[in-house]
Amino acid sequence: MNVIETLGLGKRYRDTWALRDCTLSIPEGHMAALVGPNGAGKSTLVNILAGLAVPTTGTVAVLGGRPAGSPAALDGIAYMAQDAPVYKNLSAADMVHITGNLNRLFDEPYAKRRLAELDIPPGKKAGRLSGGQQAQLALTLALARRPRLLILDEPLAALDPLARRDFLATVMVAMADDGVSVLLSSHALAELERVADYLVVLRGGEPRVAGQADDLLTGHRVLTGPAAEADAIAARASVVQDKRAASGFASRSASGSASQAHLLVRVGADDPVPPGWEAHPVTLEELALAYLRAPADPNPQDQLHPERIEASR
Amino acid sequence: MTVISLPERPGTSADRLPPLPWRRMAWVTWRQHRSTLIAVPALFGAAAVFLLIAGLKIHHDYAALAACHPSGSSACQALNGSFNSSDWPMANAVDILMQLAPALIGAFAGAPVLARELETGTFRYAWTQGIGRERWITAKLALLGVVLAAVAGAFSQLFAWFFDPVIQQQQPGLTVLSATVFDARGVSFAAWTLTAFAIGAFCGLLLRRTVPAMAVGLGSYVALDLLAWLVLRPRYPVGGFWPKQLVEGGWLLSLSVLLIVATVRLSRKRAA
Amino acid sequence: MVIDKENNGAGGDGTPIEFRLDGSSGVPTYLQLVQQVEHALRLGYLKPGDQLPKVRDVVAGLAINPNTVLKAYKELETKGLAAGRPGQGTFVTAALGQVALPELAGLRRNLHRWLASAEEAGLDEDGIVALFTSVLRDHFRRDGRDNRGAGAGDGSEGVA
């Protein structure tokens, strides 16, 4: 089952396309990181998935074909918006009770136990809790709904390192215990490297790359070798990022030594390393940064659907 | 940090869960809008105590005036003079306040209902719960609207009793059909309160901010009131107090329902 | 003074090891877990029959994706070092084969000879490391034993 399935999704605000040509199919059981700079369209996509915004073009289905925003979709999706909005003048216990009364499925004992574990005083007004506690309260309310898909929009931005870790640990345990799928948007990837096993990179409103972390990591390499041969390599492989020493366009630098090039390329599992070149594995962060910096790909469909290329071989 | 286990997920599929009962939505409405739901009845209650005490005096004064014979005597003239100089201005002042009440309810209770959620971002929480945005907004507006209209309706019955001697004393040009009197009795006052609330809520969603919504809501309400007074009411196809009340109550109720439906429909487009 | 013993981390009841992660090593998380189990087997912390930490406990302690832990355990199963028992967890099934001491000594002697010749050719210590690392990588890639390529689970197996 795909928890998220979009086809040609687009959203226009007046004259600006906040999201366009967004085609994704994210299978269940993953923690998908949705990364991109501010204004890349992350919140727009997340709002559409949560049923808060209506797309201008394209189709969107969640949880195996339920229309986003439909009652069936809302029953199975818990959404925690940016800045963890809670009613500031209501107590944590009130928030639990209110959420319980607005959902057909709600695990109130779990919510109460977790608040106790987190040392969040049930009677204290939510507005007086620390940023970390508010985030944990919002997360507790979301998890107590026992969702199939948990959508978190920039949940870590306002948290200190310890609170981030606790927050992520809670999400990861919910994945282990309940099999909940997670979509987490963030503009900082470094801390997601350990938790995300699916990556969607969004830039300028368009997905640049999307796929399971393992597939992306095995499907990409950094090739390091003489800059003089870089063009020949680039002609045969699909280069995501091309870094050459400043003198790279002359075959020899002033001192006569060969200048170096690093090419981040997409490779098949059995592609040989060109003679004289060294291949290094990439990290998820490196990969995401490369796609965020890369010029628009002439053939983005290949990147988005590596399986399609496999199938056509 | 200890992380608590989630127990087994209940086996029922979400599609087969029963719909949320009104009782639970009513509880959340009460918890969220407790200040409105306490303040409005409390203010009306305090005003009712005043009306009761002042009403007893007016009724007493009017009874004495009506029983006075012969009416041309100086004693009766004195009673009449005292009624006109103390009872009538007080009743008139209360009547003017009655005109303001629905407008204030619309501004302070209606406008913030959705505007505050949009202003603070809590709509992202409220509108993504399992109940669904449309059902939740409908339930909340309906529950608040009905409670406010009921309280206002009950109060206007007390006002009608309080104001009766003034009508019977036949102040020049003042009848139950006079603009300010007609508004404040029968079913009209409850209907105007409901309409003011619906206008406020609609403006709140449209403008997404509380203070501008209060201002625009207030302006729209006054404009509608003037329209009803100057244009619509003289054209009602029926005569007599109650037929006219029913016509006015009818179109105001329809307008309120229409506004609430429009608010719910619009909420789908204006979020995020 | 009593020092609070951290017993709710990545270890948990009934297992003799506790995982830790090195964020700066560049080694993928699942591989770090695999290597730590292998290390513990070599050093005798783990013996056949011992239980590995429960997936959930590792996840809670390290704040990592459960699929990563599942992948590490699957890798250990593929290597024949561990086996999952339904509803109970994953248990060590084999000791890690060690190279006999005389053979090890011979290999050491060979390596010393090679290092001497490298030095003679003008390589310093860092140069030797760079060359060795490069050849090592080439060698194992040719043999199809590149760790990253091997056992790349699709992560679709359910959470027990």
Side-chain angles (χ1 to χ4, degrees):
Chain A
M1 179 183 87
N2 284 333
V3 286
I4 294 171
E5 184 103 53
T6 71
L7 186 66
L9 202 61
K11 174 75 179 172
R12 192 181 55 207
Y13 291 105
R14 295 209 171 84
D15 297 335
T16 325
W17 286 91
L19 189 73
R20 59 186 162 188
D21 283 339
C22 181
T23 297
L24 297 169
S25 37
I26 304 181
E28 72 176 327
H30 287 290
M31 154 69 132
L34 177 63
V35 299
N38 291 324
K42 302 191 298 292
S43 285
T44 304
L45 174 57
V46 157
N47 278 329
I48 291 174
L49 293 171
L52 279 174
V54 183
T56 315
T57 61
T59 59
V60 52
V62 291
L63 303 172
R66 306 182 194 178
S70 66
L74 288 174
D75 269 327
I77 294 183
Y79 169 54
M80 185 179 145
Q82 202 167 351
D83 304 325
V86 287
Y87 294 111
K88 305 243 183 289
N89 58 338
L90 295 184
S91 69
D94 281 336
M95 284 303 302
V96 169
H97 211 134
I98 282 183
T99 311
N101 278 314
L102 290 179
N103 288 285
R104 302 192 288 170
L105 187 60
F106 190 75
D107 192 340
E108 190 156 333
Y110 164 82
K112 285 182 170 161
R113 264 185 296 129
R114 252 194 70 69
L115 291 186
E117 280 292 330
L118 292 161
D119 283 329
I120 293 179
K124 197 167 176 179
K125 292 230 168 25
R128 290 172 180 270
L129 298 173
S130 71
Q133 285 178 319
Q134 284 189 25
Q136 283 282 11
L137 170 60
L139 178 63
T140 301
L141 297 174
L143 286 177
R145 290 180 51 196
R146 311 301 298 276
R148 309 274 347 149
L149 171 64
L150 176 67
I151 300 179
L152 307 165
D153 192 10
E154 295 279 2
L156 307 172
L159 304 184
D160 63 60
L162 190 65
R164 285 176 186 212
R165 198 193 133 87
D166 287 352
F167 187 94
L168 288 176
T170 306
V171 175
M172 291 296 101
V173 167
M175 264 184 93
D177 282 346
D178 219 18
V180 60
S181 306
V182 184
L183 177 71
L184 188 152
S185 90
S186 177
H187 62 267
L189 179 67
E191 60 208 352
L192 299 183
E193 182 108 42
R194 279 186 193 175
V195 291
D197 58 354
Y198 197 101
L199 180 71
V200 180
V201 175
L202 217 55
R203 195 184 77 172
E206 285 178 79
R208 298 299 162 127
V209 69
Q212 293 196 19
D214 283 340
D215 297 343
L216 293 176
L217 293 179
T218 48
H220 291 79
R221 287 269 186 278
V222 173
L223 295 178
T224 302
E229 296 170 22
D231 285 336
I233 302 273
R236 276 180 284 131
S238 170
V239 177
V240 181
Q241 192 176 45
D242 188 337
K243 276 204 249 178
R244 302 188 194 184
S247 56
F249 291 104
S251 59
R252 296 265 154 177
S253 69
S255 65
S257 63
S259 61
Q260 204 181 29
H262 300 283
L263 305 179
L264 201 160
V265 296
R266 285 194 287 128
V267 292
D270 304 318
D271 284 3
V273 178
W277 287 70
E278 241 181 299
H280 307 278
V282 293
T283 65
L284 213 54
E285 189 182 6
E286 230 177 326
L287 187 86
L289 288 175
Y291 275 102
L292 285 174
R293 290 212 186 93
D297 195 278
N299 192 6
Q301 286 307 311
D302 288 356
Q303 283 169 25
L304 285 174
H305 302 284
E307 71 277 10
R308 212 174 275 172
I309 304 170
E310 299 291 315
S312 66
R313 273 185 186 157
Chain B
M1 187 185 76
T2 311
V3 182
I4 296 181
S5 243
L6 281 160
E8 198 84 348
R9 187 197 306 272
T12 40
S13 99
D15 309 276
R16 268 183 287 137
L17 292 168
L20 277 174
W22 277 87
R23 183 174 41 79
R24 291 169 65 183
M25 296 187 271
W27 185 87
V28 180
T29 307
W30 154 249
R31 192 62 199 77
Q32 256 188 318
H33 298 281
R34 205 161 52 173
S35 47
T36 299
L37 289 170
I38 290 175
V40 173
L43 285 172
F44 273 124
V49 172
F50 171 79
L51 277 196
L52 209 60
I53 295 167
L56 286 172
K57 177 180 177 295
I58 290 188
H59 276 264
H60 176 264
D61 289 355
Y62 179 72
L65 182 63
C68 192
H69 280 289
S71 56
S73 70
S74 59
C76 291
Q77 288 299 330
L79 278 177
N80 197 30
S82 122
F83 191 91
N84 282 346
S85 63
S86 74
D87 292 310
W88 157 241
M90 190 263 291
N92 196 33
V94 173
D95 187 38
I96 289 167
L97 287 176
M98 284 294 278
Q99 303 300 308
L100 284 177
L104 293 177
I105 287 176
F108 287 94
V113 172
L114 298 172
R116 187 147 297 152
E117 298 248 37
L118 288 159
E119 221 166 30
T120 57
T122 50
F123 73 97
R124 295 177 202 278
Y125 160 85
W127 296 357
T128 50
Q129 301 302 308
I131 180 175
R133 156 195 349 203
E134 299 187 7
R135 195 168 150 77
W136 176 219
I137 294 178
T138 310
K140 188 147 92 164
L141 294 183
L143 285 163
L144 284 172
V146 164
V147 169
L148 293 174
V151 171
F155 185 80
S156 77
Q157 302 316 307
L158 184 66
F159 174 81
W161 165 81
F162 160 88
F163 206 71
D164 248 358
V166 181
I167 307 271
Q168 285 174 26
Q169 194 235 358
Q170 292 176 335
Q171 282 288 338
L174 202 65
T175 72
V176 285
L177 293 178
S178 305
T180 57
V181 181
F182 186 82
D183 269 1
R185 49 198 297 151
V187 295
S188 190
F189 189 74
W192 277 105
T193 303
L194 180 65
T195 306
F197 173 78
I199 290 175
F202 180 77
C203 290
L205 183 73
L206 208 61
L207 300 171
R208 304 176 68 103
R209 286 170 58 219
T210 307
V211 176
M214 289 168 80
V216 173
L218 206 62
S220 313
Y221 175 81
V222 170
L224 185 69
D225 202 7
L226 289 175
L227 182 79
W229 176 24
L230 299 173
V231 180
L232 298 177
R233 237 172 260 161
R235 289 184 169 75
Y236 287 165
V238 290
F241 175 76
W242 278 109
K244 279 177 184 288
Q245 277 280 329
L246 290 180
V247 170
E248 179 142 323
W251 74 260
L252 284 174
L253 182 66
S254 312
L255 178 64
S256 303
V257 170
L258 217 64
L259 277 170
I260 290 177
V261 169
T263 307
V264 171
R265 285 280 166 83
L266 203 64
S267 76
R268 183 135 187 88
K269 291 203 169 153
R270 289 201 66 86
Chain C
M1 193 180 96
V2 180
I3 296 173
D4 229 9
K5 217 176 124 198
E6 179 107 28
N7 57 3
N8 51 14
D13 303 324
T15 179
I17 61 162
E18 175 101 13
F19 289 121
R20 57 173 288 279
L21 289 183
D22 183 352
S24 60
S25 70
V27 179
T29 306
Y30 90 95
L31 208 52
Q32 290 193 39
L33 302 185
V34 170
Q35 286 169 354
Q36 282 174 41
V37 170
E38 289 173 343
H39 196 69
L41 279 168
R42 282 198 193 91
L43 297 181
Y45 289 115
L46 278 177
K47 286 185 284 296
D50 282 344
Q51 185 170 10
L52 293 178
K54 290 207 168 72
V55 172
R56 185 190 180 285
D57 293 333
V58 181
V59 164
L62 300 176
I64 58 172
N65 194 309
N67 294 331
T68 306
V69 186
L70 290 172
K71 186 178 170 186
Y73 285 7
K74 207 175 148 199
E75 176 85 5
L76 288 166
E77 285 181 33
T78 309
K79 290 184 167 191
L81 297 176
R85 293 183 202 158
Q88 291 183 59
T90 306
F91 292 81
V92 176
T93 50
L96 203 60
Q98 281 179 336
V99 180
L101 277 175
E103 274 182 57
L104 209 58
L107 290 169
R108 261 184 106 85
R109 269 197 307 279
N110 285 344
L111 201 52
H112 270 301
R113 270 201 293 279
W114 180 82
L115 284 172
S117 61
E119 231 169 354
E120 234 167 84
L123 282 176
D124 65 355
E125 189 179 335
D126 288 344
I128 290 170
V129 170
L131 179 63
F132 182 78
T133 312
S134 170
V135 173
L136 192 70
R137 203 176 279 137
D138 276 353
H139 178 79
F140 284 110
R141 188 179 304 114
R142 247 199 317 282
D143 287 5
R145 284 158 69 181
D146 183 2
N147 267 323
R148 187 159 269 177
D154 59 4
S156 61
E157 57 274 319
V159 179

